[in-house]
């Protein structure tokens, strides 16, 4: 993989809105995102879940999540958004949309990403150190019916790989 393709797997941004904004991501987002609300308020609405985000709160949006976001500005809204394509995890079902409970360890790991949005190998390494911490702290997404069907199919195939279904 060449460098240009590799670096397209990451987005480090700071968003600032002077007025309330609505974003329609109902088709699903193409990356995972970790955000930090620096000023203002946000609301993410996804499949019956409403996530209210206030100043100094962190949040996680999983890849593929379908949602509408509302960034509510009394004077302005300012937040960091760190996007990444690959989240290495042992979880079969991944993680759900959620706030991230900040520990000092998480704040310290996120700070260099927030302070300098430059995309380079060191910042990518910092991101994956943060993900290593978050892996044990994030809430897993509930298993879907597709997962149960897949597991049953795998068991069936392992019992007799030559048998047709």
């Amino acid at each position: 993989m060449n460098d240009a393709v590799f670096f397209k797997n990451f987005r480090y941004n700071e968003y600032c809105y002077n007025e309330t904004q609505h974003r329609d991501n109902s088709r699903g987002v193409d990356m995972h995102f970790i955000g930090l609300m620096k000023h203002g308020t946000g609301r993410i609405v996804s499949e019956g879940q409403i996530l209210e985000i206030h100043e100094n709160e962190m949040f996680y949006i999983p890849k593929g999540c379908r949602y509408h976001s509302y960034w509510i500005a009394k004077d302005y809204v300012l937040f960091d958004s760190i996007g990444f394509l690959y989240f290495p995890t042992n979880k079969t079902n991944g993680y759900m949309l959620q706030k991230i409970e900040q520990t000092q360890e998480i704040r310290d790991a996120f700070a260099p990403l927030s302070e300098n949005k430059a995309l380079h190998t060191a910042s990518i390494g910092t991101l994956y150190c943060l993900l290593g911490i978050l892996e044990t702290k994030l809430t897993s997404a509930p298993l879907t019916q597709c997962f149960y069907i897949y597991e049953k199919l795998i068991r069936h195939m392992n019992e007799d790989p030559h048998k047709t279904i």
Side-chain angles (χ1 to χ4, degrees), residues 10 12 34 58 82 84 86-88 103 105-113 121-138:
F10 304 94
Y12 292 14
I34 295 173
M58 289 180 74
I82 309 295
F84 51 99
Y86 181 65
F87 192 158
T103 63
E105 182 183 29
I106 290 171
R107 283 191 288 278
D108 290 346
F110 189 82
L113 299 171
T121 53
S123 66
I124 293 168
T126 301
L127 169 64
Y128 280 100
C129 287
L130 173 63
L131 293 179
I133 297 165
L134 291 177
E135 185 176 17
T136 62
K137 311 249 187 252
L138 292 176

Side-chain angles (χ1 to χ4, degrees), residues 1 3 16 19 26-27 51 58-60 63-64 78 90 112 115 132 148-149:
M1 175 185 312
D3 288 351
C16 185
E19 57 188 38
S26 58
R27 292 183 182 236
L51 190 67
M58 289 180 74
F59 55 97
Y60 168 73
K63 179 180 173 186
L78 180 67
N90 293 326
E115 291 164 6
Y148 292 115
I149 292 169

Side-chain angles (χ1 to χ4, degrees), residues 1-13 31 83-86 117-125 127-128:
M1 175 185 312
N2 68 38
D3 288 351
V5 172
F6 177 75
F7 283 101
K8 287 184 180 181
N9 291 302
F10 304 94
R11 290 187 206 140
Y12 292 14
N13 295 300
M31 293 184 146
F84 51 99
L85 202 54
Y86 181 65
K117 309 287 183 307
L119 183 57
H120 46 70
T121 53
S123 66
I124 293 168
L127 169 64
Y128 280 100

Side-chain angles (χ1 to χ4, degrees), residues 15-153:
Y15 291 95
C16 185
Y17 302 128
N18 292 322
E19 57 188 38
T20 297
Q21 296 284 316
H22 166 248
R23 297 285 180 243
D24 180 352
N25 289 300
S26 58
R27 292 183 182 236
V29 288
D30 61 346
M31 293 184 146
H32 301 271
F33 291 94
I34 295 173
L36 172 65
M37 181 64 70
K38 293 180 169 180
H39 189 80
T41 305
R43 180 177 299 125
I44 299 174
V45 180
S46 174
E47 300 173 4
Q49 180 184 6
I50 299 174
L51 190 67
E52 292 278 343
I53 307 157
H54 302 282
E55 217 166 290
N56 297 317
E57 290 184 330
M58 289 180 74
F59 55 97
Y60 168 73
I61 301 172
K63 179 180 173 186
C65 184
R66 295 181 171 120
Y67 66 92
H68 287 263
S69 62
Y70 303 89
W71 306 101
I72 302 145
K74 290 187 180 167
D75 46 357
Y76 68 98
V77 171
L78 180 67
F79 66 95
D80 288 334
S81 174
I82 309 295
F84 51 99
L85 202 54
Y86 181 65
F87 192 158
T89 179
N90 293 326
K91 304 283 184 191
T92 305
N93 47 331
Y95 301 102
M96 60 189 288
L97 173 67
Q98 61 193 282
K99 285 186 189 179
I100 298 171
E101 186 177 331
Q102 293 182 63
T103 63
Q104 189 61 48
E105 182 183 29
I106 290 171
R107 283 191 288 278
D108 290 346
F110 189 82
L113 299 171
S114 181
E115 291 164 6
N116 182 2
K117 309 287 183 307
L119 183 57
H120 46 70
T121 53
S123 66
I124 293 168
T126 301
L127 169 64
Y128 280 100
C129 287
L130 173 63
L131 293 179
I133 297 165
L134 291 177
E135 185 176 17
T136 62
K137 311 249 187 252
L138 292 176
T139 303
S140 297
L143 295 174
T144 64
Q145 184 65 25
C146 292
F147 173 78
Y148 292 115
I149 292 169
Y150 170 78
E151 287 293 307
K152 186 175 180 181
L153 178 63

